[in-house]
Amino acid sequence: MLDKTGIAKRIAQEVRDGYYVNLGIGIPTLVANYIPQGMNVVLQSENGMLGMGPFPFEGEEDPDLINAGKQTITEIPGTVYFDSAMSFGMIRAGKVDLTILGAMEVSENGDIANWKIPGKMVKGMGGAMDLVAAAKNIIVAMQHVNKAGESKLLPACTLPLTGVRCVKKIVTELAVLDVVPGVGFVLLERAPGISVEQIKNATLGKLIIEGEIPEMKIN
Amino acid sequence: MNKVVSGADEAIRDIEDGMTLMLGGFGLCGIPENCIAALVRKGVKNLTCISNNAGVDDFGIGLMLKTRQVKKMISSYVGENAEFERQLLSGELEVELIPQGTLATRCLAAAYGMPAVFVRAGVGTEVAEGKEVRNFDGVDYLLEHAFNAPFSIVKAWKADTHGNLVFRKTTRNFNQPMAMAGKIVIAEVEELVPAGALDPDQIHVPGIYVHRVFKGENYEKRIEQRTVRAKS
């Protein structure tokens, strides 16, 4: 079974040289730490920045420089700033190669729910709806089951949707799966020490298992 | 052509009860601190605020929530504010949540004189309820209308006396589109210079969009999530 760091490390393997990548809050943010040295990847922060650098050293925080999670960050060579309209313009126009975000539920046709639990406090969708509606490639980083032990990989989402037929791949503590509309969750890899049976038991939506399922390779 | 006013109180002098205001910033980054303080002093009520976020309990728009001056928020993300949550759950406050990119682009539509735009965000979700859907090349889009707000209040880094604006780092956020979207645009800035002192090639918002400008004071620039790394 993977911990959060493991999920981030596995997702980092999906990043390619030359990619522009938008990372959501939580596990996706950790992915930045595991992009291989020498690979040229530019991080987009939807509040208006390309070329997001690491957190500042203590005492060097700049209140005018934050990421979309409102954390203090730094600029790096090649950084560029722009406004929110241009930021979502480039997202909408499909310029961002990969979006990685968390989810509460994903359905077997790629629908995602990650912004609202009716009856509880509603914080808002932020930029999630814009990102999932536009990104060419969306990978979801999440736990396979919720705190109540219920599967988050479902035949259909029960929570209000963020977007429809958009998730391409899911990485959980148990598995890597492709999401193919009309087909289902296609099991690609098992987490170290996890059996296909365990993944079956944790997946409520249609799970496709073809041939031998390899174990993930994580450094 | 001189857009300079004496300060925040003069800049917001004709904002009245029940009006709709656009307020720039992202979280607490680049918010118009002086004008928010002036709105609290003036005590105008029943405001509708179009702003990406609603501040925190004791700063930003949170200050106007505490004094119950806001009737409705139009935002994309309103977490991190307990007073906001209390007023929302008790029915004292209305909230309309819209996707962040749609929020920005509805400002842009107003800025560019377009009545509406088609966007993909929200298709197939509750955001699409009641909206016209149009299919282009096999893809569905929602019709989203330009904002039509009588006032925009933004914070810039520098301005000249013609109202030409320059922003710093990620404070450009919603300040730039909102600075171009309101009927009357108020800009508070850290540095106010004579026309001609800014490099014309480096101006983010041309002064034609901006009506009132003043040098703000005592900027607190509060940080919402202070994240640092250790020196190795």
Side-chain angles (χ1 to χ4, degrees), chain A residues 155-200:
Chain A
C157 293
T158 63
L159 294 169
L161 294 178
T162 309
V164 294
R165 295 171 79 95
C166 53
V167 176
K168 300 287 190 291
K169 190 177 288 262
I170 305 171
V171 179
T172 74
E173 78 282 17
L174 304 180
V176 179
L177 311 101
D178 269 348
V179 187
V180 183
V183 176
F185 299 110
V186 179
L187 183 58
L188 299 178
E189 297 173 19
R190 297 171 292 115
I194 297 297
S195 67
V196 169
E197 205 56 32
Q198 284 172 291
I199 297 164
K200 262 191 202 168

Side-chain angles (χ1 to χ4, degrees), chain A residues 64 140 193:
Chain A
D64 290 343
V140 162

Side-chain angles (χ1 to χ4, degrees), chain B residues 27-96:
Chain B
L28 300 178
C29 181
I31 57 171
E33 296 181 20
N34 281 239
C35 283
I36 290 170
L39 287 165
V40 171
R41 271 197 300 277
K42 191 173 187 202
V44 278
K45 294 220 176 333
N46 291 319
L47 300 173
T48 294
C49 293
I50 303 169
S51 173
N52 189 53
N53 314 93
V56 295
D57 276 325
D58 58 348
F59 205 57
I61 292 176
L63 296 170
M64 293 159 66
L65 291 167
K66 201 184 253 177
T67 47
R68 313 274 290 275
Q69 292 173 267
V70 182
K71 180 185 70 177
K72 183 177 181 182
M73 286 299 310
I74 299 176
S75 304
S76 85
Y77 188 83
V78 291
E80 346 310 341
N81 192 321
E83 176 61 14
F84 183 96
E85 184 170 353
R86 190 197 66 72
Q87 290 185 22
L88 184 62
L89 295 174
S90 70
E92 295 163 61
L93 181 69
E94 287 174 62
V95 64
E96 182 181 341

Side-chain angles (χ1 to χ4, degrees), chain A residues 3-13 27-28 30-31 34 171:
Chain A
D3 57 8
K4 286 178 179 177
T5 303
I7 294 174
K9 283 182 176 174
R10 178 60 192 81
I11 291 177
Q13 295 173 14
I27 299 173
L30 301 176
V31 173
Y34 304 106
V171 179

Side-chain angles (χ1 to χ4, degrees), chain B:
Chain B
M1 212 41 72
N2 187 0
K3 311 278 177 78
V4 180
V5 295
S6 60
D9 295 302
E10 187 190 346
I12 63 142
R13 63 190 182 267
D14 44 1
I15 293 179
E16 289 163 10
D17 290 356
M19 280 186 166
T20 296
L21 314 178
M22 309 186 99
L23 291 127
F26 184 97
L28 300 178
C29 181
I31 57 171
E33 296 181 20
N34 281 239
C35 283
I36 290 170
L39 287 165
V40 171
R41 271 197 300 277
K42 191 173 187 202
V44 278
K45 294 220 176 333
N46 291 319
L47 300 173
T48 294
C49 293
I50 303 169
S51 173
N52 189 53
N53 314 93
V56 295
D57 276 325
D58 58 348
F59 205 57
I61 292 176
L63 296 170
M64 293 159 66
L65 291 167
K66 201 184 253 177
T67 47
R68 313 274 290 275
Q69 292 173 267
V70 182
K71 180 185 70 177
K72 183 177 181 182
M73 286 299 310
I74 299 176
S75 304
S76 85
Y77 188 83
V78 291
E80 346 310 341
N81 192 321
E83 176 61 14
F84 183 96
E85 184 170 353
R86 190 197 66 72
Q87 290 185 22
L88 184 62
L89 295 174
S90 70
E92 295 163 61
L93 181 69
E94 287 174 62
V95 64
E96 182 181 341
L97 292 168
I98 50 185
Q100 198 170 119
T102 300
L103 183 70
T105 305
R106 289 175 65 188
C107 296
L108 209 63
Y112 284 13
M114 303 180 292
V117 288
F118 286 102
V119 301
R120 179 111 176 86
V123 169
T125 76
E126 64 182 52
V127 165
E129 282 167 20
K131 286 177 185 160
E132 185 182 332
V133 178
R134 181 109 165 247
N135 190 286
F136 295 92
D137 298 325
V139 180
D140 283 340
Y141 294 81
L142 302 182
L143 182 73
E144 295 279 5
H145 291 266
F147 283 122
N148 181 19
F151 285 94
S152 283
I153 302 174
V154 304
K155 153 84 191 341
W157 180 32
K158 296 179 185 179
D160 67 17
T161 48
H162 279 200
N164 294 311
L165 303 181
V166 178
F167 301 94
R168 184 172 178 272
K169 301 187 187 284
T170 55
T171 66
R172 214 183 302 180
N173 55 53
F174 278 88
N175 282 305
Q176 178 167 336
M178 287 182 175
M180 299 161 66
K183 291 272 182 299
I184 294 175
V185 173
I186 299 166
E188 56 173 89
V189 303
E190 291 176 56
E191 203 177 320
L192 184 59
V193 299
L198 296 174
D199 179 348
D201 273 329
Q202 305 296 332
I203 288 165
H204 297 130
V205 173
I208 193 168
Y209 283 109
V210 178
H211 304 84
R212 299 170 194 170
V213 63
F214 70 93
K215 185 180 178 308
E217 46 197 30
N218 303 321
Y219 281 105
E220 195 174 327
K221 293 197 183 183
R222 207 180 285 188
I223 291 174
E224 215 165 327
Q225 306 277 343
R226 187 179 298 273
T227 43
V228 296
R229 70 189 140 135
K231 273 186 182 147
S232 54

